[in-house]
Amino acid sequence: MVRSDRRFARITAVSHATPARIVTNDDLSALMDTSDEWIRSRTGICARRLAADDVKTSDLALEVAEKLLAKSGLSADKLDFILVATITPDSQMPSTAARVQTKIGATNAFAYDLSAACSGFVFALATADKFIASGAYRCGIVIGAETLSKVIDWSDRSTAVLFGDGAGGVLLEASADMPFVQAEKLRTDGSRADSLTAGPDKLQMDGRAIFDFAVRDVPKNISETLTLGQLTADNIDYFVLHQANSRILDKMAQKLHTSREKFPQNMDRYGNTSAASIPLLLSELTETGTLKLDGSQTVLLCGFGGGLTWGSLIITL
Ligand code: 4VN
C-alpha cells in the first residue's frame, strides 16, 4: 500500500459487453404463453441478450476489463483492485473477480465479488470510492456482470420474460481535481428478502411486492440523497437507474417532479440485467456522447432489488 495525496476518485473509462444472441419478445412467445404486446406494454422490454451455454459471467466481465484497459492505455499491473458485483458468479470459489484478475494479468491487484443483487454495482462503486478516497489505493476496476439466464425459471412466464445477460464496468483512478461522490445513501432490509430470491433454487419474484417497494422506498431514498448533497432534482443532469421496468422510471420522474427525459433507459434492448444494468447504461450513454467524463455533469445512480437492497450515489462525471 502506497499512500496517495490524490485522493478523489474519478471515472476515466467505461465499457460494456453483451452476448451476441438477441432474443426478442416474439421469440419468447414461441416458447411460452406470452406476447410482445404484454411484455412491451407492462415493462418496456422488447428484447434481451442471452449467453450461450459455455459463456460464463467471468467471460463477460473479462471482456469489460480488457476494453477498459484498452480504452485507457493503462497496463493491468497498475491496477490495485478489481470488484465484480454479481449474483450469478461462475462458482462460489474462486470469485469471478479472481478469474478476471489472472486473465488480464493484474498481478498487483486484490479482487473479490460483491453480492447486492440489482444494487450491486452502486454498492461496489461506493466501496471503491472509499478505497481511493482513503489514500490507500490509486486505481481499480468496478464491474457489474450477470448471466441471469442460468438462474431463470424458464417455466415461469411472469419472471422469465424480464431478465437478460450482460456486463458493464468503469475504471476508477485517483485524481486531485474534485470530489467524486457528492452524496450517497445505501440501504438494506433483509426482513423483506423473501420477495426476490435466487439460489439454490431458480429465481423467484413477488412482482407486486417488488414493484411497490420500487415505487415507495426508492424515490424516498433518492430524495434523501439529494438532501444530503444539498441538491435538488434540477441539479442532476441524468438519473441513471436500475433498468427493471420503464413504468418504474415513469413513476420516479413523477414522484421527483422532474422531467422523464432525465431518466435514460435501455431495458428495451437488454431487459433487466441486475448488477450489470447501470454500468451497461453508463457505457452506452458515454459512447453516444450523452455522458462526457469531463467533470461537467452531475449524475445520480440508483440501484434497487433483491436483499432487499437499494441505494443512491450522486457522482461528478
Ligand atoms: C425492481 C423492479 C422489478 C420488477 C418488479 C415487478 C415487475 C419488474 C410485475 C408486474 C408485471 C410487470 C412486471 Cl420494479 C424487478 C427488480 C429486480 O431487478 C427490481 N417488473 N413486474 C405486470 O404488469 O403485470
Side-chain angles (χ1 to χ4, degrees):
M1 181 181 110
V2 179
R3 288 214 169 262
S4 162
D5 295 330
R6 289 146 61 85
R7 290 197 171 188
F8 294 131
R10 66 182 285 111
I11 293 176
T12 55
V14 193
S15 72
H16 68 277
T18 54
R21 183 179 171 213
I22 300 172
V23 176
T24 65
N25 292 346
D26 283 332
D27 293 335
L28 286 185
S29 64
L31 303 172
M32 60 185 82
D33 187 10
T34 190
S35 69
D36 177 55
E37 153 64 18
W38 192 95
I39 302 169
R40 195 184 287 258
S41 64
R42 285 162 185 262
T43 70
I45 297 165
C46 308
R48 71 285 295 141
R49 302 294 184 99
L50 298 186
D53 284 343
D54 61 341
V55 172
K56 305 267 191 265
T57 296
S58 67
D59 297 315
L60 299 177
L62 173 63
E63 190 178 330
V64 170
E66 285 171 339
K67 284 178 178 169
L68 289 172
L69 293 175
K71 275 185 188 175
S72 69
L74 197 78
S75 74
D77 62 353
K78 295 283 188 298
L79 290 174
D80 295 316
F81 61 83
I82 299 166
L83 305 188
V84 176
T86 186
I87 52 166
T88 50
D90 297 18
S91 53
Q92 288 191 357
M93 183 169 66
S95 67
T96 308
R99 292 172 192 267
V100 172
Q101 180 270 335
T102 185
K103 286 187 175 152
I104 62 172
T107 47
N108 297 306
F110 68 89
Y112 63 90
D113 290 356
L114 187 153
S115 170
C118 309
S119 311
F121 180 78
V122 171
F123 282 30
L125 189 61
T127 305
D129 169 63
K130 307 309 171 290
F131 283 149
I132 292 176
S134 73
Y137 302 103
R138 286 170 181 273
C139 69
I141 281 177
V142 182
I143 293 172
E146 306 279 13
T147 47
L148 292 168
S149 61
K150 320 251 192 234
V151 300
I152 287 169
D153 177 358
W154 287 103
S155 70
D156 175 8
R157 66 175 176 171
S158 73
T159 55
V161 301
L162 303 177
F163 297 94
D165 301 335
V170 301
L171 176 65
L172 270 190
E173 294 186 74
S175 144
D177 303 321
M178 66 192 112
F180 173 56
V181 174
Q182 307 302 323
E184 70 176 86
K185 195 168 174 69
L186 311 184
R187 302 290 312 273
T188 297
D189 179 6
S191 77
R192 288 184 278 170
D194 289 348
S195 47
L196 183 50
T197 58
D201 300 323
K202 295 287 182 186
L203 187 146
Q204 283 186 303
M205 178 169 79
D206 178 343
R208 181 62 197 265
I210 296 297
F211 202 95
D212 289 350
F213 149 69
V215 172
R216 279 197 205 121
D217 297 76
V218 177
K220 180 166 177 279
N221 172 262
I222 292 175
S223 295
E224 288 170 356
T225 310
L226 287 167
T227 302
L228 282 173
Q230 297 179 292
L231 298 166
T232 70
D234 290 342
N235 300 122
I236 304 296
D237 292 296
Y238 293 100
F239 294 84
V240 177
L241 268 50
H242 172 49
Q243 300 287 294
N245 188 316
S246 62
R247 280 160 55 214
I248 292 289
L249 302 190
D250 299 342
K251 299 251 189 218
M252 297 293 173
Q254 274 170 26
K255 289 212 167 191
L256 293 161
H257 308 289
T258 190
S259 164
R260 178 64 173 82
E261 315 265 290
K262 285 190 180 187
F263 293 72
Q265 66 179 57
N266 64 4
M267 84 281 280
D268 52 324
R269 285 172 294 125
Y270 300 117
N272 178 346
T273 58
S274 188
S277 81
I278 290 174
L280 181 49
L281 182 54
L282 281 178
S283 179
E284 289 200 332
L285 293 170
T286 306
E287 276 184 0
T288 58
T290 307
L291 296 180
K292 303 188 204 313
L293 309 184
D294 63 357
S296 67
Q297 292 168 315
T298 304
V299 173
L300 186 144
L301 309 183
C302 179
F304 42 96
L308 300 181
T309 58
W310 67 107
S312 301
L313 213 48
I314 300 174
I315 58 176
T316 304
L317 265 193

